[in-house]
Amino acid sequence: MQKQNGEKLRSGGFSFAFTPPSFKVPSAPAELAIDKVAGAKDSSSIVTDVSSTERRENNHLFTFPGARPDLQSQWRDMEWTEEQKKSLMKTVSSYKPSSGEVTQAQVLLLGPVGSGKSSFISSVQSVFNGRVTNRAMVGSSSTSFTKKLQSFNIHGQNKEDPTGLVLCDMVGLGGGGMTGLTLHDIMSVIKGHAPEGHKFSPDQPVRSETVGYVKRPSLKDKIHCVAFVVDASKILTYPKGLSTTFQQLREHISDLGVHQVALLTHIDQICSETYKDVTHVYKSRVIQDMMGKAAALLGMSTSYIIPVRNYSSQLDLDVNTDVLLLSAVDHILQYADLYFQDNTPQNTGPKID
C-alpha cells in the first residue's frame, strides 16, 4: 500500500494520517485520530468497531471452544511453585535500570478498550500487596474507564519502596466514539512530552501549549517499553483493520528504538481447563493456537507474547496466577532494559590506567 503525503488510512474505526519522512503535528488534529468515527450511521467500520464486538460478546461470559486434549508437556517451561513466585518477586523488586540516568523503567500499556490494561496493573499490584486490590480503576469491557495518562509505581515486597518499574495506563483504542486518542498523542507520550494526568481529547492534542508539556524530555520522562494488550476471547472478532492499526503503531514506535512486547489476557475465558487451573496454560492447544493468532494480529513473533490471567472476580490470591503475572513482568523488564542498553553512551575511547 502506497502512503501518500497527508493520506488517511482507515481501518476498522481507526485512521492514521502519514506525513513522511518526518512525523509532524498536522494542522487539523482530527486527521490523525485513531478511532475517528466519520458518517455516524453509514460507515461499516462503526459496525465492526471494538466496542460493538464487545457488546455482542458480553451476552456470553465465556467463549470456550470445543474440547481439545491438552499437550503432554508444556510448550514453555514454567515452574508452578511458591519458591518460583518468591524468586520472581525478588527479581522484580530488586530490578534497577542498567542506565545510571534513571531509577525506574516506564512501560506503556496500549490496547483496545476492555483488553485488560488496568486490570493487569491492579493484578500486579495485588501480588505485591498480598491481597487482591484495584488501585487502577477498571471499567466495563465496552467502555474505557481510563481517560487520562496515569503512572503507577509498583511497590516491592516491603510495600514501602517502589520497584524499578512504573506501569503507565492511558485511554484504550476504539470504543465506539472519539476517545480522543490520536497517533500524535501516543507518540507524544512515548517521547516523554505528555504530562502526567493529561486528559486525551481530539480537540486538545498534546502540544507545546499544553499545561505541563515537557519541551525537552530527558531519558526518565520517556517510555522505555511498550506492552500491547489484547483479549484472547476477542481475537477472532476484532475488526480486521485493527491489525493494520497495530502494525502502523509498531512501525512508528520502532522508529524511536522502543522495544515492544504483548500480553494476551482473559486466557481463562477461552480454555475451560485453564479456567479451572491456570497451570494448564502452557499445555493448552487452544491457548497455543490463540497465541499464533495474536501474533498475526500484532505482527510480532509469539516469543514476544505472554499469556496472563488477571484478577477480576477473585477475592484471594492464587500462587499460580501470581507466577504467571510475575513472569510477564519479568519479560517486560528484560525488553525495557534493552532500551537502556541501546541508549546508554558507550565509552569507546582508550582505557586510561
Side-chain angles (χ1 to χ4, degrees), residues 53-200:
T53 298
E54 287 166 336
R55 284 193 293 272
R56 290 196 300 273
E57 291 191 353
N58 279 343
N59 294 326
H60 307 282
L61 180 58
F62 298 109
T63 55
F64 296 143
R68 298 184 63 187
D70 278 351
L71 298 168
Q72 291 299 313
S73 58
Q74 297 186 114
W75 44 276
R76 277 185 185 167
D77 291 333
M78 179 70 73
E79 293 181 28
W80 305 99
T81 63
E82 183 69 35
E83 289 72 22
Q84 176 68 358
K85 173 185 172 179
K86 290 178 180 178
S87 176
L88 286 167
M89 287 184 73
K90 182 178 179 181
T91 298
V92 174
S93 296
S94 60
Y95 168 77
K96 289 181 174 54
S98 57
S99 172
E101 294 182 45
V102 298
T103 58
Q104 293 178 302
Q106 295 202 124
V107 177
L108 176 65
L109 302 183
L110 194 60
V113 170
S115 56
K117 302 186 303 298
S118 299
S119 292
F120 176 73
I121 294 173
S122 291
S123 297
V124 172
Q125 290 175 322
S126 296
V127 175
F128 286 100
N129 288 341
R131 59 188 178 87
V132 177
T133 56
N134 286 298
R135 183 181 168 202
M137 302 300 287
V138 180
S140 68
S141 63
S142 61
T143 59
S144 180
F145 194 98
T146 305
K147 304 296 184 184
K148 59 186 180 180
L149 178 63
Q150 294 179 284
S151 300
F152 296 89
N153 286 291
I154 303 302
H155 289 264
Q157 291 172 284
N158 61 10
K159 302 180 180 63
E160 294 178 2
D161 298 328
T163 65
L165 173 65
V166 175
L167 295 177
C168 304
D169 197 7
M170 65 188 299
V171 64
L173 305 175
M178 296 182 73
T179 63
L181 190 61
T182 66
L183 175 59
H184 165 69
D185 282 348
I186 292 174
M187 301 309 289
S188 295
V189 170
I190 296 172
K191 291 177 180 179
H193 293 299
E196 173 75 10
H198 175 76
K199 189 172 183 179
F200 298 97

Side-chain angles (χ1 to χ4, degrees), residues 33-330:
I34 288 179
D35 80 323
K36 177 182 178 184
V37 178
K41 295 184 179 179
D42 59 358
S43 171
S44 60
S45 64
I46 300 174
V47 176
T48 58
D49 76 0
V50 178
S51 63
S52 61
T53 298
E54 287 166 336
R55 284 193 293 272
R56 290 196 300 273
E57 291 191 353
N58 279 343
N59 294 326
H60 307 282
L61 180 58
F62 298 109
T63 55
F64 296 143
R68 298 184 63 187
D70 278 351
L71 298 168
Q72 291 299 313
S73 58
Q74 297 186 114
W75 44 276
R76 277 185 185 167
D77 291 333
M78 179 70 73
E79 293 181 28
W80 305 99
T81 63
E82 183 69 35
E83 289 72 22
Q84 176 68 358
K85 173 185 172 179
K86 290 178 180 178
S87 176
L88 286 167
M89 287 184 73
K90 182 178 179 181
T91 298
V92 174
S93 296
S94 60
Y95 168 77
K96 289 181 174 54
S98 57
S99 172
E101 294 182 45
V102 298
T103 58
Q104 293 178 302
Q106 295 202 124
V107 177
L108 176 65
L109 302 183
L110 194 60
V113 170
S115 56
K117 302 186 303 298
S118 299
S119 292
F120 176 73
I121 294 173
S122 291
S123 297
V124 172
Q125 290 175 322
S126 296
V127 175
F128 286 100
N129 288 341
R131 59 188 178 87
V132 177
T133 56
N134 286 298
R135 183 181 168 202
M137 302 300 287
V138 180
S140 68
S141 63
S142 61
T143 59
S144 180
F145 194 98
T146 305
K147 304 296 184 184
K148 59 186 180 180
L149 178 63
Q150 294 179 284
S151 300
F152 296 89
N153 286 291
I154 303 302
H155 289 264
Q157 291 172 284
N158 61 10
K159 302 180 180 63
E160 294 178 2
D161 298 328
T163 65
L165 173 65
V166 175
L167 295 177
C168 304
D169 197 7
M170 65 188 299
V171 64
L173 305 175
M178 296 182 73
T179 63
L181 190 61
T182 66
L183 175 59
H184 165 69
D185 282 348
I186 292 174
M187 301 309 289
S188 295
V189 170
I190 296 172
K191 291 177 180 179
H193 293 299
E196 173 75 10
H198 175 76
K199 189 172 183 179
F200 298 97
S201 167
D203 300 323
Q204 297 180 335
V206 179
R207 58 180 66 178
S208 58
E209 294 79 15
T210 298
V211 177
Y213 181 86
V214 182
K215 293 183 179 180
R216 295 182 179 83
S218 63
L219 188 61
K220 69 179 181 62
D221 299 311
K222 300 177 181 180
I223 293 298
H224 309 124
C225 179
V226 171
F228 289 101
V229 184
V230 291
D231 184 341
S233 70
K234 296 179 176 60
I235 292 290
L236 300 180
T237 52
Y238 276 142
K240 292 181 179 180
L242 187 59
S243 179
T244 303
T245 299
F246 276 131
Q247 294 186 40
Q248 290 170 356
L249 277 169
R250 294 195 62 233
E251 287 177 9
H252 284 278
I253 296 169
S254 294
D255 286 344
L256 297 179
V258 177
H259 294 273
Q260 301 147 58
V261 298
L263 303 175
L264 183 67
T265 61
H266 299 113
I267 55 171
D268 50 320
Q269 294 186 19
I270 64 169
C271 175
S272 58
E273 292 303 313
T274 303
Y275 171 70
K276 291 183 287 187
D277 182 356
V278 75
T279 64
H280 282 268
V281 58
Y282 287 129
K283 289 184 179 181
S284 170
R285 295 179 188 272
V286 173
I287 293 176
Q288 186 181 42
D289 290 346
M290 203 59 71
M291 288 278 287
K293 291 177 173 60
L297 174 72
L298 294 161
M300 62 170 57
S301 167
T302 54
S303 62
Y304 295 97
I305 306 173
I306 298 291
V308 295
R309 180 179 186 177
N310 292 332
Y311 286 110
S312 53
S313 60
Q314 301 91 334
L315 296 178
D316 299 308
L317 295 180
D318 168 65
V319 63
N320 297 321
T321 300
D322 292 351
V323 167
L324 197 58
L325 287 164
L326 289 167
S327 67
V329 174
D330 183 47

